[in-house]
Amino acid sequence: MERRFNLIKSDFEKHEKRKLPSFPFCYLTFKSDENSRVYEVKDISHTGMQISLKDSNNYKEDDLIKGHIHWLGSSLEIIGVVKWTTGHRLGIEFAKKKDVLERVTKFLDLKQLVQKLKPLHKVEDGLEIPAMLKYWLRSDGPIELFIWQHNNGEIAKFQVLYMENFVEWVDGQGLQSGRVLSKRNADTPLIEEDEWVFNIDAYADAGRIDRVKDLVGHIGEELLPREAQGFLLRQLS
């Protein structure tokens, strides 16, 4: 979720930025019970979400917020608290109630998320795809998967963002992992991009890697060729 911070490197934490392609449409939305306004869900996890509205909003920190998340035929009733607000964006922490958290967990079930993945590398309706981006899978807020290639077509690197988890492999460098801190639109003239900031783990975190490996293992061949899936699974092992 978006927070105010500087790029920090120390013995205790390392923050890094990445600019990654952005898809201009989001089908994951939140409708507030208080004002009936519809927000775009920019980021979501089991504990909270980041939402955005083009116009200004009337919420302030510590406000209670209620409403429904809608996503391609699925709906989730949530209650939460506004933890921060910056411009048109809000950071929401879900209420720590058993029924709320159980509904969120069911809504964010891995199999459900994978079913909503879209192979954006196959989209031809005016979407600008970077030249070296070989595969791009997206499940609105919860999942982004990018696979980049060398000039000879071999895989050069991949990045997987699975809710708050970030895992990256680079040819010749290996794996690293981290936690997603923020995501915002980058001001670039040629292609739609988002700027992501991650808190990089001191060592590749086995838990994050296992979660991403489980995700990749659930992706069907209609979305990702078996050869590419097998490559990712080998590197994640």
Side-chain angles (χ1 to χ4, degrees), residues 128-139:
E128 290 287 338
I129 303 289
M132 304 310 290
L133 182 57
K134 192 169 186 176
Y135 303 108
W136 178 8
L137 303 181
R138 183 175 191 269
S139 186

Side-chain angles (χ1 to χ4, degrees), residues 135 145 147 155 158 169 213 215-221 223-237:
Y135 303 108
L145 186 153
I147 302 178
I155 293 177
F158 62 79
W169 175 89
K213 184 179 178 181
L215 162 65
V216 172
H218 277 80
I219 298 174
E221 191 172 8
L223 295 172
L224 188 66
R226 284 285 174 258
E227 181 180 357
Q229 183 193 45
F231 182 89
L232 265 64
L233 291 174
R234 287 194 298 275
Q235 304 310 320
L236 293 166
S237 296

